[in-house]
Amino acid sequence: EVQLVESGGGLVQPGGSLRLSCAASGFTFSSYWMHWVRQAPGKGLVWVSRIDSDGKITTYADSVKGRFTISRDNAKNTLYLEMNSLRAEDTAVYYCGGSYRQNWFDPWGQGTLVTVSS
Amino acid sequence: DIVMTQSPDSLAVSLGERATINCRSSQSVLYSSNNKNYLAWYQQKPGQPPKLLIYWASTRESGVPDRFSGSGSGTDFTLTITSLQAEDVAVYYCQQYYGTPLTFGGGTKVEIK
């Protein structure tokens, strides 16, 4: 069964840091580009970042550039998102998603909630 | 950035009737070298992640019922649900993958009338 399972979300104070993980199984993780997409409560989907299959090319949305770092460990079939200098507007459910050859998202994880609040 | 604009924000349709959702991009997402439109559609039910329905603007993902269809080219696209079923209640999003940042429409909420 194809599966992506996020973890690492929680409550963090403004200016704090958090590291999200996304564990993949059931497909050839190392062949997929991987992404993080977030969704603020009651709002729409916003792409955050992506990383190529080898982990060498990364791209970020302007809103997180310089604060977030995407990485992956193909030996562990795991994607990461290191989030620093967190702001209230970063509060969202963070989904990891895979893309194969083209940048539509399939599969998706179930998401992990990040809340930035004092 | 390519801005994706969906309309309407919400619509209520009777069971068995047709639902039509529109998506417009601020620039063409048609790649001339392969004549493909870099547009996907997703369905998101409450408390669930999005689910891929359609890619290349009109290619249905495996397992997606054939009452879902996508059409359009260039900057104007449509997702049609013929004969709406109760399980189709959801928010639907379009997404362009022509360029980065990858961008989504604001979503269209489909309800039963």
Side-chain angles (χ1 to χ4, degrees):
Chain A
E1 179 192 6
V2 173
Q3 203 167 13
L4 290 172
V5 179
E6 301 94 335
S7 61
L11 175 63
V12 61
Q13 292 189 338
S17 299
L18 214 53
R19 188 197 200 199
L20 305 183
S21 299
C22 169
S25 60
F27 66 103
T28 307
F29 178 74
S30 59
S31 295
Y32 278 63
W33 287 48
M34 295 298 296
H35 306 255
W36 289 98
V37 175
R38 68 185 181 185
Q39 187 170 37
K43 302 297 185 181
L45 301 167
V46 177
W47 173 82
V48 172
S49 181
R50 75 177 176 191
I51 188 167
D52 76 325
S53 56
D54 294 329
K56 295 178 181 177
I57 302 172
T58 59
T59 317
Y60 299 91
D62 286 346
S63 58
V64 306
K65 201 172 294 182
R67 300 188 298 123
F68 290 13
T69 302
I70 190 171
S71 62
R72 66 191 296 162
D73 185 337
N74 285 345
K76 294 183 178 179
N77 286 345
T78 304
L79 173 73
Y80 303 100
L81 186 68
E82 187 77 39
M83 304 186 294
N84 298 317
S85 302
L86 283 162
R87 307 166 180 166
E89 54 265 36
D90 296 319
T91 294
V93 173
Y94 284 73
Y95 295 101
C96 61
S99 63
Y100 183 70
R101 295 185 176 176
Q102 295 296 339
N103 286 306
W104 62 74
F105 307 105
D106 183 55
W108 291 76
Q110 286 295 316
T112 187
L113 176 62
V114 172
T115 303
V116 184
S117 174
S118 55
Chain B
D1 298 5
I2 300 176
V3 177
M4 308 300 291
T5 303
Q6 287 185 232
S7 62
D9 292 336
S10 64
L11 73 161
V13 176
S14 300
L15 288 171
E17 296 300 306
R18 177 186 300 258
T20 301
I21 300 167
N22 301 302
C23 174
R24 175 167 290 176
S25 56
S26 61
Q27 65 186 74
S28 176
V29 298
L30 173 64
Y31 194 39
S32 57
S33 66
N34 59 9
N35 201 37
K36 286 182 179 289
N37 287 284
Y38 283 55
L39 185 109
W41 288 96
Y42 301 87
Q43 174 193 65
Q44 187 178 32
K45 297 181 179 180
Q48 295 185 20
K51 172 188 173 184
L52 176 68
L53 295 177
I54 286 169
Y55 53 93
W56 296 133
S58 61
T59 302
R60 204 178 301 113
E61 171 72 334
S62 175
V64 173
D66 59 8
R67 64 179 180 273
F68 292 91
S69 63
S71 62
S73 185
T75 61
D76 290 282
F77 301 90
T78 300
L79 175 70
T80 302
I81 312 171
T82 58
S83 188
L84 189 79
Q85 305 298 302
E87 61 265 32
D88 300 333
V89 168
V91 179
Y92 293 84
Y93 295 92
C94 59
Q95 177 235 332
Q96 65 80 21
Y97 48 96
Y98 184 91
T100 53
L102 307 172
T103 49
F104 293 88
T108 296
K109 186 174 185 179
V110 174
E111 300 172 306
I112 304 296
K113 185 186 293 183

